[in-house]
Amino acid sequence: MTQMTRRTPNRTLRTLQREVDDLFDQFFGRTDGGDRDTSPAWSPSTDLVETDEDVRLHLDVPGMSADDISINL
């Protein structure tokens, strides 16, 4: 017996987009499960070390030099 399946290309593309979005959410640690934030902000893993003399911020940004990074407060 032959089974016919109706395919909707837009639905397939939406499903693929959702799967790719979920993959990126998992990779970048997004786990809230709510509506997706469309802001371009990305925050790398950080470690803040405070001493009597200064405050140091260590960022996990492979392939970037200190000159590539700008921190604004």
Side-chain angles (χ1 to χ4, degrees), residues 25-30 41-49 56-64 69 71:
D25 289 345
Q26 290 173 7
F27 181 78
F28 288 111
R30 184 181 161 91
W42 171 70
S43 58
S45 297
T46 60
D47 187 20
L48 183 66
V49 179
R56 292 181 182 240
L57 182 64
H58 299 268
L59 302 172
D60 186 15
V61 286
M64 296 181 76
I69 298 171
I71 299 175

Side-chain angles (χ1 to χ4, degrees), residues 5-71:
T5 304
R6 185 176 182 173
R7 299 215 181 247
T8 307
N10 288 338
R11 181 175 179 200
T12 303
L13 291 176
R14 283 192 304 261
T15 302
L16 177 61
Q17 180 67 48
R18 193 169 29 252
E19 289 174 3
V20 171
D21 288 344
D22 291 343
L23 179 65
F24 275 91
D25 289 345
Q26 290 173 7
F27 181 78
F28 288 111
R30 184 181 161 91
T31 58
D32 64 2
D35 292 334
R36 286 186 171 77
D37 184 11
T38 58
S39 68
W42 171 70
S43 58
S45 297
T46 60
D47 187 20
L48 183 66
V49 179
E50 186 175 354
T51 65
D52 291 336
E53 295 83 30
D54 57 14
V55 175
R56 292 181 182 240
L57 182 64
H58 299 268
L59 302 172
D60 186 15
V61 286
M64 296 181 76
S65 69
D67 294 333
D68 296 332
I69 298 171
S70 173
I71 299 175

